[in-house]
Amino acid sequence: MIVALTGAGISAEVGIPTFRGKGGLWNKEDPKELATLSAFLKDPVKVWKWYDWRRSLIKEKHPSEAHHLLARKKIPVITQNVDGLHQRAGSEQVVELHGNLWRVRCLNCSYKGWNYDTPLKEVPPKCPECGGLLRPDVVWFGEPLPEEAIRESLELLNYCSLMLVIGTSGSVYPASQLPYYAKERGAKLVEINPEETPLSPLMDLKIRKGATEGLKEFFSSYEL
Ligand code: NAD
Ligand code: ZN
């Protein structure tokens, strides 16, 4: 079975900035100011304004050809992205390691729900059940990954014979460990990324192209 691990690079092609590299989000904003629980508790309005901006930007974009190719080939996807573009492209099996920025959850009660308002009706948004502060249901720096997402990822990788590692810098732990896990279980690894990454030495094949061109090359060279 083929499994894909995707990162911000697969969405970069449709104009959603990555966190690192040229034109990355982090070049303009300090992540430690925005993507941590302590930053959020200190200034929820500031953090929510950043998410409101990102959500508005993402809403007007469409999945890339690379997202569509993975969906058409019915390849299960483990993604670090929070933009929901794999689902919009029609992928049925998507494991979200870092949550989804269209989902919100309450800091005060167990409420969790979807919110697609762009711009948000109020900043910060409040819980419809208890009036508490809502946060984006994403994984921030220093927070653990959702247990279920880890379990589902490992289950997929136990049956994986070939892993496509697409558009990830491989620098966010523990997502960056998944290719090692797959390799230890005998999977071949293919990296599709225009740049070298810390994961590159592990790869059986490196395609130094963008996600769409790289996937096309991969599918045309290998009968699958
Ligand atoms: P990253 O920003 O650290 O790295 C992006 C990688 O994509 C780089 O290695 C770069 O060379 C590569 N890349 C750039 N253009 C590409 C293209 N056209 N095709 C293929 N690859 C390309 O991203 P990451 O590794 O996903 O990790 C950072 C964190 O960023 C994740 O936790 C994720 O949640 C978050 N993030 C998500 C989004 C999103 O949801 N779209 C956007 C930015 C950051
Ligand atoms: Zn609540």
Side-chain angles (χ1 to χ4, degrees), residues 44-133:
V45 171
K46 182 177 175 189
V47 173
W48 262 118
K49 278 188 178 160
W50 184 57
Y51 276 93
D52 205 15
W53 169 73
R54 288 180 64 196
R55 285 157 52 105
S56 304
L57 182 106
I58 289 166
K59 199 176 212 175
E60 60 190 38
K61 309 291 186 198
H62 297 283
S64 69
E65 238 181 298
H67 289 101
H68 284 295
L69 272 170
L70 293 175
R72 268 207 301 283
K73 301 270 184 191
K74 298 200 181 307
I75 294 176
V77 178
I78 301 169
T79 190
Q80 297 168 83
N81 295 345
V82 294
D83 55 29
L85 287 185
H86 285 295
Q87 291 89 333
R88 271 169 62 190
S91 277
E92 281 164 21
Q93 211 173 350
V94 182
V95 180
E96 292 180 320
L97 292 172
H98 295 158
N100 189 305
L101 49 59
W102 301 108
R103 212 167 42 227
V104 291
R105 66 181 155 95
C106 181
L107 284 184
N108 189 47
C109 74
S110 59
Y111 174 81
K112 209 181 231 207
W114 295 92
N115 175 319
Y116 294 99
D117 297 337
T118 53
L120 288 161
K121 293 200 178 87
E122 55 171 345
V123 177
K126 302 280 166 41
C127 175
E129 294 192 350
C130 77
L133 186 59

Side-chain angles (χ1 to χ4, degrees), residues 28-41:
K28 285 168 222 141
E29 306 278 357
D30 180 356
K32 297 281 183 251
E33 291 296 317
L34 298 160
T36 66
L37 181 62
S38 59
F40 181 73
L41 294 175

Side-chain angles (χ1 to χ4, degrees), residues 7-9 13 17-20 80-83 98 167-169 193-194 210-211:
E13 289 188 335
T18 58
F19 276 5
R20 294 172 191 78
Q80 297 168 83
N81 295 345
V82 294
D83 55 29
H98 295 158
T168 174
S169 66
N193 195 316

Side-chain angles (χ1 to χ4, degrees), residues 159-176:
Y159 296 100
C160 172
S161 51
L162 193 148
M163 186 183 206
L164 297 170
V165 181
I166 309 169
T168 174
S169 66
S171 54
V172 177
Y173 181 88
S176 56

